Amino acid sequence: MSSVPVAVVTGSNKGIGFEIVRALCKRFPGDVYLTARDPGRGQEAVAKLQEEGLHPLFHQLDIDDPQSIRALRDFLKQKYGGLNVLVNNAAIAFKVNDQTPFAVQAEVTLKTNFFGTRNICTELLPIMKPYGKVVNVSSMASSSALGRCSQELQKKFRSDTITEEELVELMTKFVEDTKKNVHEKEGWPNTAYGVSKIGVTVLSRIQARMFNEKRKGDHILLNACCPGWVRTDMAGPKAPKSPEEGAETPVYLALLPSDADGPHGQFVSEKTVQTW
Ligand code: NAP
């Protein structure tokens, strides 16, 4: 078994994830895994970085596929005995003018952004090594969507005692409410992406609490963050930040020094803790 530290970035064949891998290849003292759901796109991205003299490794990972997640977990356990850095970056977003019915957009968006990210965490958080770092890439869209939830929902999402099961129930309810077209009456904002990212930010707060309760001595730091508005296929060419600039806050959180005791359980933007 290798004693080399290991970092994994989900959805890193392009966009911000690709730039996170590039930065980690330069600054993380260990093996860095570029992962992609499509091995062809993944290997192409690896080759691009190799041309620059960088040495990312590749592993297939589709966060929608439990089998693919378990294969990665087994590989990491067997080869490294665990994981030092996990960046949950993979996500999807429908374009604003997409004509897909809202209920379908809600189901598909929540499936990847919330449930896929949660499934990765369920399998990989238990194998995080002491002093490990977990970065869940959320979005400022989570804060703005939170502000547009009913008072009752806002209270639940800001609660310091909400459980993962309760969060899953709420995310499931959102999808169900969109199918019955009662989501607005039930206090939800009209944004599937925003709600999925509320899920990611709140999940991060819950997971950080879990580490405090169950593995206090392991000094693992887990945070949610926003990369900013970044020129990628997701956000389009008008966004102000380059993908490299978008990688800065996630990389800062992934490389927090081992003597840092925070940030932990926070929502971070521009390397600064935000009020949730
Ligand atoms: P992007 O260019 O569209 O890249 C998304 C990446 O996620 C791609 O590599 C994509 O792979 C991958 N992905 C999607 N579904 C996946 C799945 N089921 N399994 C594995 N990988 C999957 O988007 P981006 O702008 O870089 O976004 C990166 C992160 O930043 C996301 O979490 C996004 O929500 C967040 N964010 C972005 C912005 C922005 O302005 N760009 C703002 C706030 C937050 P394929 O190539 O196979 O599709």
Side-chain angles (χ1 to χ4, degrees), residues 12-233:
S12 46
N13 53 289
K14 68 177 185 180
I16 297 164
F18 179 74
E19 293 298 332
I20 296 172
V21 167
R22 187 202 296 256
L24 290 180
C25 282
K26 292 177 184 168
R27 294 171 55 194
F28 177 71
D31 289 349
V32 180
Y33 279 84
L34 185 154
T35 68
R37 52 182 162 183
D38 181 89
R41 287 198 288 275
Q43 295 290 4
E44 222 173 277
V46 165
K48 234 188 260 174
L49 293 175
Q50 280 170 343
E51 279 168 25
E52 298 173 18
L54 301 174
H55 303 287
L57 299 161
F58 177 71
H59 203 284
Q60 194 273 345
L61 176 65
D62 181 343
I63 71 165
D64 290 345
D65 175 5
Q67 193 56 44
S68 167
I69 297 176
R70 282 195 293 271
L72 176 65
R73 178 207 56 195
D74 292 347
F75 168 79
L76 291 168
K77 257 172 99 171
Q78 202 189 10
K79 178 148 187 205
Y80 299 93
L83 178 60
N84 300 84
V85 168
L86 171 63
V87 183
N88 283 309
N89 165 81
I92 57 149
F94 283 84
K95 301 284 181 235
V96 188
N97 56 0
D98 193 296
Q99 295 304 306
T100 308
F102 188 66
V104 177
Q105 294 198 19
E107 180 150 41
V108 171
T109 307
L110 272 279
K111 179 181 164 136
T112 300
N113 297 8
F114 176 72
F115 291 102
T117 302
R118 173 177 182 249
N119 289 344
I120 289 275
C121 290
T122 303
E123 297 298 345
L124 297 190
L125 295 196
I127 66 164
M128 289 305 298
K129 292 190 177 181
Y131 297 93
K133 312 283 183 291
V134 182
V135 184
N136 293 330
V137 181
S138 183
S139 170
M140 277 299 190
S142 68
S143 318
S144 50
L146 178 68
R148 282 181 279 135
C149 287
S150 66
Q151 288 303 321
E152 194 188 336
L153 280 174
Q154 288 192 36
K155 201 170 150 212
K156 289 180 180 167
F157 289 132
R158 290 200 175 100
S159 155
D160 288 325
T161 52
I162 184 173
T163 64
E164 191 168 325
E165 289 66 33
E166 286 165 344
L167 177 61
V168 166
E169 258 176 52
L170 283 167
M171 292 291 117
T172 307
K173 181 174 185 306
F174 170 68
V175 175
E176 294 307 316
D177 287 349
T178 63
K179 286 181 186 162
K180 294 181 256 165
N181 200 21
V182 296
H183 57 285
E184 285 180 289
K185 196 176 122 257
E186 291 294 308
W188 297 102
N190 214 9
T191 158
Y193 179 77
V195 171
S196 76
K197 292 298 191 178
I198 290 179
V200 173
T201 303
V202 176
L203 182 67
S204 307
R205 289 160 55 89
I206 294 169
Q207 290 165 337
R209 241 171 44 215
M210 181 277 292
F211 276 124
N212 291 346
E213 285 159 14
K214 300 213 169 105
R215 294 180 62 185
K216 189 69 194 161
D218 283 347
H219 305 279
I220 291 165
L221 298 179
L222 181 152
N223 293 286
C225 71
C226 177
W229 188 23
V230 183
R231 288 187 297 278
T232 62
D233 287 348

